[in-house]
Amino acid sequence: MKKELSLLKLDYSDLHIIETPWQLCPKSDSDFDAEFKTDSGELPIFLGGEGIPKKKYVPIREVWSQMEGVLKKGLTKAIGLANCDEDLVNHITLAAKIKPACNFIELHLRHQQPEFVKYLRKKNILPIASTVFSELDSDKYLTEVAKSHRKQSNDVSARFFCQKLVFQNIK
């Protein structure tokens, strides 16, 4: 990570995340039928990571430990997740010395995931919507609402989520 920060002319990053919580490629060319299988048969694994030779598979707990190391070295201010479901978040938090600060997840008008958002909040992990504006222009109802208020579909969606977050925090 030091090399990447150097290329960006930065001393640290604000947030470092695990973006892809599943196996990136099969262990061998003949292993394609093992879709999302793991080295132990149950835990997700990753390819690579800081200081790990390419093509070596690593259990997610080891990856999270490395993330904690990056934070302890001061190379980032926070560590988090992306695209992790409840089972994976739970698995990581059970092993973590430092819990994830956030989880970037699919959240938009068609996919609001209220129970998962509630779960993350209960664990004090900030849910971050990674796809708020997903396919909004093709939604005829949203387009009609936007037109009636002389706004764009994205404006209506953003307002919806802002109001939802505000009202949820008040309760």
Side-chain angles (χ1 to χ4, degrees), residues 16-48:
H16 194 60
I17 62 170
I18 295 176
E19 171 134 16
T20 311
W22 52 78
Q23 182 174 318
L24 296 175
C25 67
K27 292 180 183 179
S28 68
D29 292 339
S30 63
D31 209 15
F32 272 99
D33 60 342
E35 183 179 347
F36 302 131
K37 292 265 172 132
T38 64
D39 51 355
S40 67
E42 58 186 74
L43 303 177
I45 56 176
F46 288 80
L47 175 65

PDB file of all heavy atoms in Angstrom, residues 16-48:
ATOM      1  N   HIS A  16      -9.754   2.327   3.603  1.00  0.00           N
ATOM      2  CA  HIS A  16      -9.231   1.176   2.856  1.00  0.00           C
ATOM      3  C   HIS A  16     -10.258   0.057   3.039  1.00  0.00           C
ATOM      4  O   HIS A  16     -10.627  -0.265   4.172  1.00  0.00           O
ATOM      5  CB  HIS A  16      -7.870   0.776   3.427  1.00  0.00           C
ATOM      6  CG  HIS A  16      -7.087  -0.152   2.584  1.00  0.00           C
ATOM      7  ND1 HIS A  16      -6.688   0.151   1.294  1.00  0.00           N
ATOM      8  CD2 HIS A  16      -6.620  -1.394   2.820  1.00  0.00           C
ATOM      9  CE1 HIS A  16      -6.010  -0.871   0.800  1.00  0.00           C
ATOM     10  NE2 HIS A  16      -5.955  -1.820   1.706  1.00  0.00           N
ATOM     11  N   ILE A  17     -10.759  -0.505   1.934  1.00  0.00           N
ATOM     12  CA  ILE A  17     -11.822  -1.510   2.042  1.00  0.00           C
ATOM     13  C   ILE A  17     -11.462  -2.811   1.336  1.00  0.00           C
ATOM     14  O   ILE A  17     -10.651  -2.830   0.419  1.00  0.00           O
ATOM     15  CB  ILE A  17     -13.165  -0.997   1.472  1.00  0.00           C
ATOM     16  CG1 ILE A  17     -13.037  -0.690  -0.026  1.00  0.00           C
ATOM     17  CG2 ILE A  17     -13.674   0.191   2.235  1.00  0.00           C
ATOM     18  CD1 ILE A  17     -14.361  -0.408  -0.711  1.00  0.00           C
ATOM     19  N   ILE A  18     -12.113  -3.883   1.797  1.00  0.00           N
ATOM     20  CA  ILE A  18     -12.115  -5.151   1.065  1.00  0.00           C
ATOM     21  C   ILE A  18     -13.280  -5.018   0.097  1.00  0.00           C
ATOM     22  O   ILE A  18     -14.430  -4.959   0.514  1.00  0.00           O
ATOM     23  CB  ILE A  18     -12.358  -6.358   1.991  1.00  0.00           C
ATOM     24  CG1 ILE A  18     -11.213  -6.529   2.975  1.00  0.00           C
ATOM     25  CG2 ILE A  18     -12.563  -7.623   1.159  1.00  0.00           C
ATOM     26  CD1 ILE A  18     -11.434  -7.643   3.989  1.00  0.00           C
ATOM     27  N   GLU A  19     -12.992  -4.951  -1.179  1.00  0.00           N
ATOM     28  CA  GLU A  19     -14.051  -4.696  -2.152  1.00  0.00           C
ATOM     29  C   GLU A  19     -14.748  -5.948  -2.651  1.00  0.00           C
ATOM     30  O   GLU A  19     -15.927  -5.943  -2.916  1.00  0.00           O
ATOM     31  CB  GLU A  19     -13.497  -3.932  -3.355  1.00  0.00           C
ATOM     32  CG  GLU A  19     -14.490  -3.829  -4.468  1.00  0.00           C
ATOM     33  CD  GLU A  19     -14.600  -2.452  -5.058  1.00  0.00           C
ATOM     34  OE1 GLU A  19     -13.715  -1.625  -4.838  1.00  0.00           O
ATOM     35  OE2 GLU A  19     -15.589  -2.229  -5.759  1.00  0.00           O
ATOM     36  N   THR A  20     -14.032  -7.037  -2.809  1.00  0.00           N
ATOM     37  CA  THR A  20     -14.606  -8.230  -3.410  1.00  0.00           C
ATOM     38  C   THR A  20     -14.525  -9.392  -2.437  1.00  0.00           C
ATOM     39  O   THR A  20     -13.493 -10.045  -2.346  1.00  0.00           O
ATOM     40  CB  THR A  20     -13.847  -8.587  -4.711  1.00  0.00           C
ATOM     41  OG1 THR A  20     -13.739  -7.415  -5.504  1.00  0.00           O
ATOM     42  CG2 THR A  20     -14.560  -9.653  -5.491  1.00  0.00           C
ATOM     43  N   PRO A  21     -15.599  -9.647  -1.694  1.00  0.00           N
ATOM     44  CA  PRO A  21     -15.528 -10.677  -0.649  1.00  0.00           C
ATOM     45  C   PRO A  21     -15.796 -12.083  -1.152  1.00  0.00           C
ATOM     46  O   PRO A  21     -16.561 -12.827  -0.559  1.00  0.00           O
ATOM     47  CB  PRO A  21     -16.619 -10.225   0.321  1.00  0.00           C
ATOM     48  CG  PRO A  21     -17.642  -9.628  -0.580  1.00  0.00           C
ATOM     49  CD  PRO A  21     -16.858  -8.948  -1.673  1.00  0.00           C
ATOM     50  N   TRP A  22     -15.200 -12.447  -2.261  1.00  0.00           N
ATOM     51  CA  TRP A  22     -15.358 -13.799  -2.754  1.00  0.00           C
ATOM     52  C   TRP A  22     -14.128 -14.172  -3.564  1.00  0.00           C
ATOM     53  O   TRP A  22     -13.293 -13.335  -3.873  1.00  0.00           O
ATOM     54  CB  TRP A  22     -16.624 -13.964  -3.592  1.00  0.00           C
ATOM     55  CG  TRP A  22     -16.750 -12.953  -4.680  1.00  0.00           C
ATOM     56  CD1 TRP A  22     -16.114 -12.940  -5.877  1.00  0.00           C
ATOM     57  CD2 TRP A  22     -17.554 -11.769  -4.657  1.00  0.00           C
ATOM     58  NE1 TRP A  22     -16.469 -11.838  -6.597  1.00  0.00           N
ATOM     59  CE2 TRP A  22     -17.350 -11.113  -5.880  1.00  0.00           C
ATOM     60  CE3 TRP A  22     -18.427 -11.221  -3.727  1.00  0.00           C
ATOM     61  CZ2 TRP A  22     -17.990  -9.914  -6.191  1.00  0.00           C
ATOM     62  CZ3 TRP A  22     -19.053 -10.036  -4.045  1.00  0.00           C
ATOM     63  CH2 TRP A  22     -18.838  -9.403  -5.261  1.00  0.00           C
ATOM     64  N   GLN A  23     -14.037 -15.429  -3.888  1.00  0.00           N
ATOM     65  CA  GLN A  23     -12.885 -15.940  -4.618  1.00  0.00           C
ATOM     66  C   GLN A  23     -12.796 -15.256  -5.982  1.00  0.00           C
ATOM     67  O   GLN A  23     -13.767 -15.192  -6.722  1.00  0.00           O
ATOM     68  CB  GLN A  23     -13.048 -17.447  -4.788  1.00  0.00           C
ATOM     69  CG  GLN A  23     -11.900 -18.106  -5.489  1.00  0.00           C
ATOM     70  CD  GLN A  23     -12.074 -19.596  -5.473  1.00  0.00           C
ATOM     71  OE1 GLN A  23     -12.468 -20.160  -4.473  1.00  0.00           O
ATOM     72  NE2 GLN A  23     -11.775 -20.234  -6.572  1.00  0.00           N
ATOM     73  N   LEU A  24     -11.627 -14.736  -6.303  1.00  0.00           N
ATOM     74  CA  LEU A  24     -11.453 -14.007  -7.549  1.00  0.00           C
ATOM     75  C   LEU A  24     -11.196 -14.909  -8.744  1.00  0.00           C
ATOM     76  O   LEU A  24     -11.531 -14.562  -9.861  1.00  0.00           O
ATOM     77  CB  LEU A  24     -10.303 -13.012  -7.408  1.00  0.00           C
ATOM     78  CG  LEU A  24     -10.531 -11.905  -6.386  1.00  0.00           C
ATOM     79  CD1 LEU A  24      -9.283 -11.059  -6.246  1.00  0.00           C
ATOM     80  CD2 LEU A  24     -11.706 -11.048  -6.777  1.00  0.00           C
ATOM     81  N   CYS A  25     -10.580 -16.037  -8.533  1.00  0.00           N
ATOM     82  CA  CYS A  25     -10.346 -16.971  -9.626  1.00  0.00           C
ATOM     83  C   CYS A  25     -10.159 -18.365  -9.043  1.00  0.00           C
ATOM     84  O   CYS A  25      -9.875 -18.511  -7.867  1.00  0.00           O
ATOM     85  CB  CYS A  25      -9.138 -16.557 -10.465  1.00  0.00           C
ATOM     86  SG  CYS A  25      -7.580 -16.673  -9.608  1.00  0.00           S
ATOM     87  N   PRO A  26     -10.336 -19.395  -9.853  1.00  0.00           N
ATOM     88  CA  PRO A  26     -10.194 -20.761  -9.348  1.00  0.00           C
ATOM     89  C   PRO A  26      -8.743 -21.077  -8.996  1.00  0.00           C
ATOM     90  O   PRO A  26      -7.825 -20.447  -9.488  1.00  0.00           O
ATOM     91  CB  PRO A  26     -10.681 -21.619 -10.508  1.00  0.00           C
ATOM     92  CG  PRO A  26     -10.511 -20.770 -11.707  1.00  0.00           C
ATOM     93  CD  PRO A  26     -10.681 -19.342 -11.262  1.00  0.00           C
ATOM     94  N   LYS A  27      -8.563 -22.077  -8.127  1.00  0.00           N
ATOM     95  CA  LYS A  27      -7.225 -22.484  -7.729  1.00  0.00           C
ATOM     96  C   LYS A  27      -6.431 -23.025  -8.911  1.00  0.00           C
ATOM     97  O   LYS A  27      -5.233 -22.888  -8.974  1.00  0.00           O
ATOM     98  CB  LYS A  27      -7.297 -23.537  -6.635  1.00  0.00           C
ATOM     99  CG  LYS A  27      -7.823 -23.008  -5.340  1.00  0.00           C
ATOM    100  CD  LYS A  27      -7.868 -24.111  -4.310  1.00  0.00           C
ATOM    101  CE  LYS A  27      -8.472 -23.610  -3.025  1.00  0.00           C
ATOM    102  NZ  LYS A  27      -8.544 -24.649  -2.020  1.00  0.00           N
ATOM    103  N   SER A  28      -7.130 -23.656  -9.840  1.00  0.00           N
ATOM    104  CA  SER A  28      -6.471 -24.162 -11.036  1.00  0.00           C
ATOM    105  C   SER A  28      -7.422 -23.983 -12.208  1.00  0.00           C
ATOM    106  O   SER A  28      -8.605 -23.738 -12.028  1.00  0.00           O
ATOM    107  CB  SER A  28      -6.105 -25.634 -10.873  1.00  0.00           C
ATOM    108  OG  SER A  28      -7.287 -26.407 -10.832  1.00  0.00           O
ATOM    109  N   ASP A  29      -6.889 -24.106 -13.421  1.00  0.00           N
ATOM    110  CA  ASP A  29      -7.720 -23.930 -14.608  1.00  0.00           C
ATOM    111  C   ASP A  29      -8.838 -24.955 -14.682  1.00  0.00           C
ATOM    112  O   ASP A  29      -9.881 -24.704 -15.256  1.00  0.00           O
ATOM    113  CB  ASP A  29      -6.858 -24.023 -15.878  1.00  0.00           C
ATOM    114  CG  ASP A  29      -5.915 -22.837 -15.995  1.00  0.00           C
ATOM    115  OD1 ASP A  29      -6.194 -21.799 -15.359  1.00  0.00           O
ATOM    116  OD2 ASP A  29      -4.913 -22.956 -16.707  1.00  0.00           O
ATOM    117  N   SER A  30      -8.641 -26.126 -14.081  1.00  0.00           N
ATOM    118  CA  SER A  30      -9.661 -27.169 -14.127  1.00  0.00           C
ATOM    119  C   SER A  30     -10.666 -27.058 -12.982  1.00  0.00           C
ATOM    120  O   SER A  30     -11.536 -27.903 -12.837  1.00  0.00           O
ATOM    121  CB  SER A  30      -8.998 -28.542 -14.096  1.00  0.00           C
ATOM    122  OG  SER A  30      -8.305 -28.694 -12.879  1.00  0.00           O
ATOM    123  N   ASP A  31     -10.548 -26.012 -12.198  1.00  0.00           N
ATOM    124  CA  ASP A  31     -11.374 -25.870 -11.003  1.00  0.00           C
ATOM    125  C   ASP A  31     -12.528 -24.876 -11.180  1.00  0.00           C
ATOM    126  O   ASP A  31     -13.070 -24.374 -10.219  1.00  0.00           O
ATOM    127  CB  ASP A  31     -10.489 -25.413  -9.833  1.00  0.00           C
ATOM    128  CG  ASP A  31     -10.989 -25.884  -8.490  1.00  0.00           C
ATOM    129  OD1 ASP A  31     -11.846 -26.779  -8.454  1.00  0.00           O
ATOM    130  OD2 ASP A  31     -10.513 -25.354  -7.476  1.00  0.00           O
ATOM    131  N   PHE A  32     -12.930 -24.599 -12.429  1.00  0.00           N
ATOM    132  CA  PHE A  32     -13.961 -23.599 -12.681  1.00  0.00           C
ATOM    133  C   PHE A  32     -15.325 -23.979 -12.130  1.00  0.00           C
ATOM    134  O   PHE A  32     -16.133 -23.119 -11.843  1.00  0.00           O
ATOM    135  CB  PHE A  32     -14.093 -23.313 -14.180  1.00  0.00           C
ATOM    136  CG  PHE A  32     -13.165 -22.239 -14.630  1.00  0.00           C
ATOM    137  CD1 PHE A  32     -11.977 -22.556 -15.249  1.00  0.00           C
ATOM    138  CD2 PHE A  32     -13.469 -20.904 -14.432  1.00  0.00           C
ATOM    139  CE1 PHE A  32     -11.107 -21.569 -15.663  1.00  0.00           C
ATOM    140  CE2 PHE A  32     -12.606 -19.910 -14.829  1.00  0.00           C
ATOM    141  CZ  PHE A  32     -11.415 -20.242 -15.454  1.00  0.00           C
ATOM    142  N   ASP A  33     -15.602 -25.241 -11.956  1.00  0.00           N
ATOM    143  CA  ASP A  33     -16.911 -25.648 -11.455  1.00  0.00           C
ATOM    144  C   ASP A  33     -17.057 -25.409  -9.955  1.00  0.00           C
ATOM    145  O   ASP A  33     -18.133 -25.536  -9.399  1.00  0.00           O
ATOM    146  CB  ASP A  33     -17.203 -27.110 -11.780  1.00  0.00           C
ATOM    147  CG  ASP A  33     -16.181 -28.064 -11.176  1.00  0.00           C
ATOM    148  OD1 ASP A  33     -15.087 -27.607 -10.807  1.00  0.00           O
ATOM    149  OD2 ASP A  33     -16.495 -29.257 -11.091  1.00  0.00           O
ATOM    150  N   ALA A  34     -16.001 -25.026  -9.292  1.00  0.00           N
ATOM    151  CA  ALA A  34     -16.045 -24.779  -7.850  1.00  0.00           C
ATOM    152  C   ALA A  34     -16.417 -23.316  -7.580  1.00  0.00           C
ATOM    153  O   ALA A  34     -15.726 -22.612  -6.871  1.00  0.00           O
ATOM    154  CB  ALA A  34     -14.695 -25.110  -7.237  1.00  0.00           C
ATOM    155  N   GLU A  35     -17.529 -22.884  -8.131  1.00  0.00           N
ATOM    156  CA  GLU A  35     -17.938 -21.486  -8.026  1.00  0.00           C
ATOM    157  C   GLU A  35     -18.046 -21.041  -6.573  1.00  0.00           C
ATOM    158  O   GLU A  35     -18.796 -21.580  -5.784  1.00  0.00           O
ATOM    159  CB  GLU A  35     -19.286 -21.295  -8.718  1.00  0.00           C
ATOM    160  CG  GLU A  35     -19.747 -19.854  -8.729  1.00  0.00           C
ATOM    161  CD  GLU A  35     -21.080 -19.695  -9.438  1.00  0.00           C
ATOM    162  OE1 GLU A  35     -21.515 -20.634 -10.110  1.00  0.00           O
ATOM    163  OE2 GLU A  35     -21.679 -18.640  -9.292  1.00  0.00           O
ATOM    164  N   PHE A  36     -17.227 -20.045  -6.238  1.00  0.00           N
ATOM    165  CA  PHE A  36     -17.195 -19.445  -4.911  1.00  0.00           C
ATOM    166  C   PHE A  36     -16.896 -20.436  -3.790  1.00  0.00           C
ATOM    167  O   PHE A  36     -17.206 -20.185  -2.643  1.00  0.00           O
ATOM    168  CB  PHE A  36     -18.483 -18.675  -4.604  1.00  0.00           C
ATOM    169  CG  PHE A  36     -18.770 -17.594  -5.590  1.00  0.00           C
ATOM    170  CD1 PHE A  36     -20.015 -17.492  -6.165  1.00  0.00           C
ATOM    171  CD2 PHE A  36     -17.795 -16.677  -5.949  1.00  0.00           C
ATOM    172  CE1 PHE A  36     -20.291 -16.500  -7.090  1.00  0.00           C
ATOM    173  CE2 PHE A  36     -18.065 -15.682  -6.869  1.00  0.00           C
ATOM    174  CZ  PHE A  36     -19.315 -15.600  -7.441  1.00  0.00           C
ATOM    175  N   LYS A  37     -16.280 -21.558  -4.100  1.00  0.00           N
ATOM    176  CA  LYS A  37     -15.860 -22.501  -3.050  1.00  0.00           C
ATOM    177  C   LYS A  37     -14.615 -21.939  -2.377  1.00  0.00           C
ATOM    178  O   LYS A  37     -13.916 -21.102  -2.914  1.00  0.00           O
ATOM    179  CB  LYS A  37     -15.529 -23.868  -3.663  1.00  0.00           C
ATOM    180  CG  LYS A  37     -16.735 -24.579  -4.223  1.00  0.00           C
ATOM    181  CD  LYS A  37     -17.309 -25.526  -3.230  1.00  0.00           C
ATOM    182  CE  LYS A  37     -18.614 -26.038  -3.769  1.00  0.00           C
ATOM    183  NZ  LYS A  37     -18.830 -27.402  -3.720  1.00  0.00           N
ATOM    184  N   THR A  38     -14.324 -22.456  -1.222  1.00  0.00           N
ATOM    185  CA  THR A  38     -13.188 -21.960  -0.460  1.00  0.00           C
ATOM    186  C   THR A  38     -12.223 -23.085  -0.139  1.00  0.00           C
ATOM    187  O   THR A  38     -12.538 -24.253  -0.337  1.00  0.00           O
ATOM    188  CB  THR A  38     -13.674 -21.327   0.860  1.00  0.00           C
ATOM    189  OG1 THR A  38     -14.269 -22.356   1.640  1.00  0.00           O
ATOM    190  CG2 THR A  38     -14.680 -20.228   0.618  1.00  0.00           C
ATOM    191  N   ASP A  39     -11.069 -22.698   0.394  1.00  0.00           N
ATOM    192  CA  ASP A  39     -10.055 -23.706   0.696  1.00  0.00           C
ATOM    193  C   ASP A  39     -10.535 -24.684   1.774  1.00  0.00           C
ATOM    194  O   ASP A  39     -10.186 -25.844   1.758  1.00  0.00           O
ATOM    195  CB  ASP A  39      -8.734 -23.049   1.121  1.00  0.00           C
ATOM    196  CG  ASP A  39      -8.901 -22.016   2.219  1.00  0.00           C
ATOM    197  OD1 ASP A  39     -10.039 -21.714   2.622  1.00  0.00           O
ATOM    198  OD2 ASP A  39      -7.880 -21.497   2.668  1.00  0.00           O
ATOM    199  N   SER A  40     -11.355 -24.239   2.707  1.00  0.00           N
ATOM    200  CA  SER A  40     -11.859 -25.132   3.744  1.00  0.00           C
ATOM    201  C   SER A  40     -13.249 -25.659   3.406  1.00  0.00           C
ATOM    202  O   SER A  40     -13.795 -26.471   4.132  1.00  0.00           O
ATOM    203  CB  SER A  40     -11.925 -24.391   5.082  1.00  0.00           C
ATOM    204  OG  SER A  40     -12.905 -23.381   5.009  1.00  0.00           O
ATOM    205  N   GLY A  41     -13.833 -25.149   2.315  1.00  0.00           N
ATOM    206  CA  GLY A  41     -15.170 -25.563   1.929  1.00  0.00           C
ATOM    207  C   GLY A  41     -16.260 -24.699   2.520  1.00  0.00           C
ATOM    208  O   GLY A  41     -17.419 -24.842   2.195  1.00  0.00           O
ATOM    209  N   GLU A  42     -15.891 -23.742   3.398  1.00  0.00           N
ATOM    210  CA  GLU A  42     -16.939 -22.927   4.002  1.00  0.00           C
ATOM    211  C   GLU A  42     -16.597 -21.447   4.121  1.00  0.00           C
ATOM    212  O   GLU A  42     -17.475 -20.611   4.081  1.00  0.00           O
ATOM    213  CB  GLU A  42     -17.310 -23.465   5.379  1.00  0.00           C
ATOM    214  CG  GLU A  42     -16.132 -23.527   6.335  1.00  0.00           C
ATOM    215  CD  GLU A  42     -16.501 -24.195   7.636  1.00  0.00           C
ATOM    216  OE1 GLU A  42     -16.653 -25.420   7.634  1.00  0.00           O
ATOM    217  OE2 GLU A  42     -16.628 -23.490   8.638  1.00  0.00           O
ATOM    218  N   LEU A  43     -15.348 -21.092   4.257  1.00  0.00           N
ATOM    219  CA  LEU A  43     -14.988 -19.692   4.453  1.00  0.00           C
ATOM    220  C   LEU A  43     -14.536 -19.047   3.153  1.00  0.00           C
ATOM    221  O   LEU A  43     -13.829 -19.664   2.366  1.00  0.00           O
ATOM    222  CB  LEU A  43     -13.866 -19.566   5.491  1.00  0.00           C
ATOM    223  CG  LEU A  43     -14.157 -20.166   6.856  1.00  0.00           C
ATOM    224  CD1 LEU A  43     -12.944 -20.024   7.746  1.00  0.00           C
ATOM    225  CD2 LEU A  43     -15.371 -19.503   7.478  1.00  0.00           C
ATOM    226  N   PRO A  44     -14.891 -17.794   2.909  1.00  0.00           N
ATOM    227  CA  PRO A  44     -14.438 -17.100   1.709  1.00  0.00           C
ATOM    228  C   PRO A  44     -12.917 -16.950   1.710  1.00  0.00           C
ATOM    229  O   PRO A  44     -12.308 -16.832   2.770  1.00  0.00           O
ATOM    230  CB  PRO A  44     -15.105 -15.727   1.825  1.00  0.00           C
ATOM    231  CG  PRO A  44     -16.230 -15.935   2.759  1.00  0.00           C
ATOM    232  CD  PRO A  44     -15.798 -17.000   3.711  1.00  0.00           C
ATOM    233  N   ILE A  45     -12.337 -16.933   0.541  1.00  0.00           N
ATOM    234  CA  ILE A  45     -10.897 -16.742   0.414  1.00  0.00           C
ATOM    235  C   ILE A  45     -10.602 -15.658  -0.607  1.00  0.00           C
ATOM    236  O   ILE A  45     -11.443 -15.299  -1.417  1.00  0.00           O
ATOM    237  CB  ILE A  45     -10.171 -18.047   0.004  1.00  0.00           C
ATOM    238  CG1 ILE A  45     -10.750 -18.596  -1.284  1.00  0.00           C
ATOM    239  CG2 ILE A  45     -10.216 -19.063   1.102  1.00  0.00           C
ATOM    240  CD1 ILE A  45     -10.035 -19.822  -1.798  1.00  0.00           C
ATOM    241  N   PHE A  46      -9.403 -15.128  -0.562  1.00  0.00           N
ATOM    242  CA  PHE A  46      -9.009 -14.025  -1.422  1.00  0.00           C
ATOM    243  C   PHE A  46      -7.726 -14.362  -2.155  1.00  0.00           C
ATOM    244  O   PHE A  46      -6.939 -15.181  -1.717  1.00  0.00           O
ATOM    245  CB  PHE A  46      -8.769 -12.768  -0.581  1.00  0.00           C
ATOM    246  CG  PHE A  46     -10.036 -12.189  -0.065  1.00  0.00           C
ATOM    247  CD1 PHE A  46     -10.648 -12.724   1.051  1.00  0.00           C
ATOM    248  CD2 PHE A  46     -10.635 -11.137  -0.711  1.00  0.00           C
ATOM    249  CE1 PHE A  46     -11.823 -12.202   1.532  1.00  0.00           C
ATOM    250  CE2 PHE A  46     -11.817 -10.613  -0.249  1.00  0.00           C
ATOM    251  CZ  PHE A  46     -12.412 -11.141   0.879  1.00  0.00           C
ATOM    252  N   LEU A  47      -7.512 -13.652  -3.226  1.00  0.00           N
ATOM    253  CA  LEU A  47      -6.284 -13.784  -3.995  1.00  0.00           C
ATOM    254  C   LEU A  47      -5.423 -12.568  -3.718  1.00  0.00           C
ATOM    255  O   LEU A  47      -5.894 -11.443  -3.838  1.00  0.00           O
ATOM    256  CB  LEU A  47      -6.610 -13.848  -5.485  1.00  0.00           C
ATOM    257  CG  LEU A  47      -5.460 -13.872  -6.466  1.00  0.00           C
ATOM    258  CD1 LEU A  47      -4.670 -15.162  -6.280  1.00  0.00           C
ATOM    259  CD2 LEU A  47      -5.962 -13.790  -7.881  1.00  0.00           C
ATOM    260  N   GLY A  48      -4.185 -12.776  -3.330  1.00  0.00           N
ATOM    261  CA  GLY A  48      -3.279 -11.649  -3.136  1.00  0.00           C
ATOM    262  C   GLY A  48      -3.470 -10.948  -1.813  1.00  0.00           C
ATOM    263  O   GLY A  48      -3.931 -11.514  -0.843  1.00  0.00           O
TER     264      GLY A  48
END
